[in-house]
Amino acid sequence: MSYHELSIEERSNIQVGLLRGMSQRAIARMLNRSPSTISREIRRNRSTQGDYITQHAQRAMRERRMSCRPRQKLVPGNELFELVVHLLRKRFSPEQIAGKLRAMEFPNFEDA
């Protein structure tokens, strides 16, 4: 079974279900999700007042997701990107490009 993150619609349904006084298990059945998924979502994204707010939950999810992902290595418009594109157009292989960049001691290549 593969995991699919909760959509904004599902988060909205959680908020409505909680406002209606539904149990977490009932909300899970309604969304065809595991009760533990609903419980974790509510626990992670409650406001300081204890309310579950869809917009807050969605924003928090995006922030958590961005902080755990590595920084992009090749960003269109920067010097490294342009150099890699140029070398690819000259039919260099990715391995050849990596070797050439190391030999050139391209600034921040190993960090990129």
Side-chain angles (χ1 to χ4, degrees):
M1 185 170 125
S2 65
Y3 173 77
H4 301 285
E5 65 185 27
L6 291 169
S7 66
I8 187 124
E9 291 83 14
E10 289 173 313
R11 287 188 170 91
S12 181
N13 286 332
I14 291 172
Q15 182 180 356
V16 169
L18 290 172
L19 290 172
R20 289 184 177 173
M22 293 174 69
S23 71
Q24 291 179 9
R25 288 188 176 276
I27 295 170
R29 276 192 302 274
M30 178 178 71
L31 297 177
N32 197 26
R33 292 284 191 155
S34 168
S36 64
T37 299
I38 304 305
S39 173
R40 188 179 319 110
E41 173 69 15
I42 293 168
R43 190 173 0 99
R44 272 187 186 159
N45 297 306
R46 276 192 196 267
S47 67
T48 54
Q49 293 80 23
D51 299 328
Y52 179 87
I53 301 167
T54 303
Q55 291 82 5
H56 167 75
Q58 190 73 12
R59 188 175 330 107
M61 179 273 303
R62 272 193 239 110
E63 288 169 5
R64 280 191 304 269
R65 190 170 186 194
M66 291 303 291
S67 69
C68 72
R69 295 202 172 204
R71 188 174 53 89
Q72 283 187 332
K73 295 179 181 180
L74 290 175
V75 181
N78 72 10
E79 188 181 355
L80 179 60
F81 181 86
E82 299 303 326
L83 180 57
V84 169
V85 168
H86 173 74
L87 293 173
L88 284 170
R89 287 189 176 138
K90 288 187 139 202
R91 304 257 185 223
F92 279 70
S93 73
E95 291 81 8
Q96 289 170 320
I97 294 171
K100 191 162 200 63
L101 292 175
R102 277 190 205 93
M104 291 171 57
E105 296 181 9
F106 195 88
N108 301 323
F109 169 66
E110 294 301 325
D111 295 337

